[in-house]
Amino acid sequence: MTSTQGYDERAGQALLNMYRLVSGGGGHSGAAIRDAYADLFDSSDADFRAAAASGNTQGMVVARDAALKESAELLQANARIGLGLLATVVNLTGMTPEETIRKARQLAAENTG
């Protein structure tokens, strides 16, 4: 994946999946986000395992570095989407950003595992 938009789409999908989980009564959050990211990490995992099985330490390093790069891109995408959501809530409700985050964290803690 090379585009910021593609990462943002995955982050948005993961957030939608989490919202559906919470609005459906809660559950384990890992299952809710796995679909949005699975192909990225499955590919890195397969490359790492193949390199390890053949004793290719350089291949293992390359696969690990690819997984770390994907992780960093996804974290940045989640922050971008989160910023948009935070700004929207603050602008629409008048709550402070801190109060909004506190309530969001509380909701997540109560409804996800």
Side-chain angles (χ1 to χ4, degrees):
M1 175 164 303
T2 58
S3 77
T4 298
Q5 181 181 2
Y7 287 109
D8 289 355
E9 288 172 10
R10 287 175 188 271
Q13 186 60 52
L15 287 169
L16 285 172
N17 290 352
M18 287 291 291
Y19 175 79
R20 291 178 184 126
L21 175 79
V22 170
S23 65
H28 191 273
S29 58
I33 62 172
R34 173 130 176 83
D35 290 345
Y37 305 134
D39 62 316
L40 294 177
F41 294 111
D42 288 349
S43 176
S44 295
D45 182 57
D47 291 346
F48 183 86
R49 289 177 186 273
S54 67
N56 179 357
T57 56
Q58 182 59 34
M60 292 167 63
V61 170
V62 169
R64 182 213 55 205
D65 289 349
L68 290 173
K69 181 183 181 303
E70 295 289 350
S71 296
E73 293 286 354
L74 291 170
L75 289 169
Q76 291 172 23
N78 277 290
R80 285 189 298 270
I81 298 297
L83 172 61
L85 291 170
L86 178 61
T88 300
V89 171
V90 168
N91 289 334
L92 290 174
T93 67
M95 289 191 304
T96 66
E98 295 80 10
E99 178 68 7
T100 303
I101 293 296
R102 187 191 65 73
K103 287 185 176 196
R105 290 178 60 197
Q106 181 180 355
L107 178 67
E110 291 171 355
N111 292 284
T112 62

